[in-house]
Amino acid sequence: MRGSVRRRGAGWEYLYRELDPHSGKATRLRSKAGFATKAEAQAALTTVLATMAQGSYVSPSQLTLKQFLETRWLPSITATIRPSTHYSYGRNMRLHVYPLLADVPLQRLEPSALNALYAQLLKDGRKDQAAGGPLSAKSVRYVHDILNRALQDAMRWQLVSRNVARLATPPKPKIADRREQITWTRDELGAFLELSRPHRLHAAFFVLAMSGARRGEILALRWSDVDLSVGRLYVRRSLVCVTHEAVYSDTKTTRSRRAIAVDPATVAALRRHRAEQAAEKLAAGGDYDDRDLVFCDRQGRELHPERFTRTFQEQVAALGLPRVRLHDLRHTWATLALQTGIHPKIVSERLGHANTTITLDIYSHVMPSMHADAANEVAAFILGGNEPADGRLPTEAGPRPRP
């Protein structure tokens, strides 16, 4: 492929024809001006022709960042991620990226522009309250991660020659950015499960508290996903909110698609619930829409996740118990399980985490007491319960005889 250089005004420009990637034939004529000398124009042209020969050529475009994200990238990943994740990606771009970078041509986006964006968000990026305020480093990092994925796809699709997000410097989330885990004690959880027994959704609360499952996983359960004879729940899907609408989705991760063993008390609660549900179905008659759901409204339809959360919060307030989020039932189960001595790998598998490292990171607050227990138990095993009062090992209790 050949090109040419020529004078243009007081400077120089180069010209070349793009090659069709499929046929290899020359197509659109391209040019770029503004070079001070013929040598500069020729060097730039040589670079362009080299990228075409190597297959790394990027056709010049005025496509803006917003146009790329809205019309190409977000539609292209719809089938690859959960609806709630797709909504979150779009929402974060609209709230945090478009106000500053929407009209920047994709090919002119620079790492410095992203760094400036991150600095602005850390200073005044909150959009969920009238007064505004700083966005947490964790949230800014999430914005960066979305852009990094999008720009990596743009590079793979040969829309840009590099992923500038990889050259930017996003903030590192601080330990203080993490929400402190708020959980119930064993007695508080026991009181809730006992006092909420008369509530129609008691079984749903009970299963959440005793399984460590996510809200959406429990609300999406069908009776065909439950085997009460062996005490197993099979998590195969999730009910999530997208723009406040309840929609079914795949599980959060591949590991989230799992079987959860449940205890006899939970099995008994589910049996009682099934009997009560059968009575409701009979009372509703032809108005009942049987969707095989374990937890549903009185007509058999899905329970809206957000309304289910509000119901839980109202029940907690009515019972006068310490306020926790519905999701904190999951944290409570995990915390109590680890304190009981359940191996972190088992806890991780029941929670549906991608790996045990995530579990240990989230529940690191439980680790100090576990370390102390481990130290005491191992010491008791080694010393056989005969540790001297002065702390010396049995072999150090007195002088050893000389050989």
Side-chain angles (χ1 to χ4, degrees):
M1 174 61 191
R2 298 177 61 185
S4 61
V5 297
R6 67 182 183 185
R7 272 202 171 276
R8 182 169 182 180
W12 291 81
E13 72 172 349
Y14 65 72
L15 301 94
Y16 66 96
R17 286 194 178 274
E18 290 182 340
L19 294 179
D20 183 278
H22 303 292
S23 67
K25 294 182 179 179
T27 56
R28 184 173 180 177
L29 180 66
R30 292 286 188 179
S31 66
K32 184 174 182 180
F35 298 97
T37 67
K38 180 178 180 180
E40 290 178 1
Q42 185 64 58
L45 174 62
T46 300
T47 300
V48 171
L49 297 180
T51 62
M52 294 179 70
Q54 296 165 3
S56 58
Y57 172 75
V58 174
S59 179
S61 169
Q62 290 302 310
L63 182 73
T64 66
L65 178 61
K66 180 179 179 180
Q67 289 170 339
F68 164 69
L69 293 170
E70 289 286 312
T71 66
R72 301 199 185 186
W73 186 67
L74 285 170
S76 75
I77 63 171
T78 301
T80 66
I81 57 177
R82 304 169 80 214
S84 56
T85 303
H86 191 276
Y87 171 72
S88 176
Y89 283 3
R91 181 176 183 273
N92 273 274
M93 295 300 96
R94 289 191 297 272
L95 290 180
H96 305 309
V97 176
Y98 296 164
L100 292 177
L101 300 178
D103 297 327
V104 175
L106 183 65
Q107 294 179 351
R108 296 183 185 176
L109 186 64
E110 294 291 335
S112 59
L114 295 185
N115 288 339
L117 169 69
Y118 303 152
Q120 180 61 35
L121 294 178
L122 289 170
K123 180 181 178 182
D124 187 26
R126 290 287 296 272
K127 305 295 182 183
D128 57 352
Q129 56 187 23
L135 203 62
S136 71
K138 180 180 178 181
S139 296
V140 177
R141 180 74 191 213
Y142 181 59
V143 171
H144 165 79
D145 290 342
I146 298 171
L147 286 170
N148 180 51
R149 175 174 175 175
L151 294 174
Q152 188 65 22
D153 284 340
M155 187 174 73
R156 187 163 54 87
W157 299 340
Q158 294 188 309
L159 295 174
V160 293
S161 60
R162 59 178 182 164
N163 176 359
V164 296
R166 290 191 170 184
L167 304 175
T169 310
K172 293 182 179 180
K174 303 174 183 177
I175 295 178
D177 287 337
R178 296 185 180 182
R179 179 186 181 275
E180 181 182 355
Q181 297 293 351
I182 300 176
T183 59
W184 274 335
T185 64
R186 180 189 65 177
D187 292 341
E188 289 168 341
L189 179 58
F192 171 75
L193 295 178
E194 180 61 32
L195 295 174
S196 64
R197 185 178 291 270
H199 198 280
R200 179 179 177 274
L201 296 177
H202 172 261
F205 300 148
F206 201 99
V207 173
L208 276 170
M210 301 300 285
S211 68
R214 301 176 178 90
R215 176 186 69 179
E217 295 170 345
I218 293 302
L219 296 183
L221 273 180
R222 296 159 293 197
W223 285 111
S224 58
D225 300 323
V226 178
D227 188 343
L228 296 180
S229 64
V230 297
R232 290 286 190 279
L233 308 179
Y234 296 93
V235 176
R236 298 186 173 108
R237 60 179 186 168
S238 184
L239 187 67
V240 299
C241 287
V242 179
T243 61
H244 303 295
E245 293 293 327
V247 298
Y248 286 109
S249 169
D250 291 335
T251 54
K252 188 172 183 180
T253 67
T254 303
R255 291 285 297 275
S256 296
R257 191 177 175 89
R258 65 201 186 280
I260 301 177
V262 292
D263 60 279
T266 303
V267 170
L270 284 168
R271 291 189 188 280
R272 289 193 301 270
H273 174 70
R274 186 165 61 179
E276 294 166 358
Q277 190 180 74
E280 286 185 350
K281 180 178 179 180
L282 185 63
D287 293 332
Y288 195 86
D289 183 5
D290 193 347
R291 302 181 182 182
D292 194 38
L293 291 168
V294 176
F295 304 112
C296 55
D297 65 16
R298 296 181 188 278
Q299 283 71 45
R301 297 185 294 266
E302 289 80 2
L303 292 170
H304 193 286
E306 292 174 352
R307 286 195 290 272
F308 179 70
T309 294
R310 286 197 295 271
T311 299
F312 168 78
Q313 292 170 339
E314 291 165 358
Q315 184 69 6
V316 170
L319 297 176
L321 291 167
R323 183 179 177 182
V324 295
R325 304 174 306 166
L326 180 66
H327 194 69
D328 291 328
L329 287 182
R330 175 175 165 87
H331 293 319
T332 296
W333 183 89
T335 299
L336 294 176
L338 290 169
Q339 290 175 341
T340 304
I342 304 300
H343 195 285
K345 180 172 176 56
I346 301 300
V347 175
S348 178
E349 290 176 351
R350 284 181 62 90
L351 294 175
H353 285 162
N355 53 63
T356 307
T357 302
I358 294 174
T359 309
L360 295 175
D361 184 50
I362 294 174
Y363 299 103
S364 58
H365 64 286
V366 185
M367 297 301 115
S369 61
M370 292 179 65
H371 281 298
D373 292 340
N376 293 333
E377 290 180 16
V378 174
F381 175 74
I382 293 174
L383 303 175
N386 298 315
E387 185 177 0
D390 62 5
R392 291 183 297 168
L393 294 175
T395 57
E396 299 173 337
R400 296 181 180 180
R402 294 181 179 273

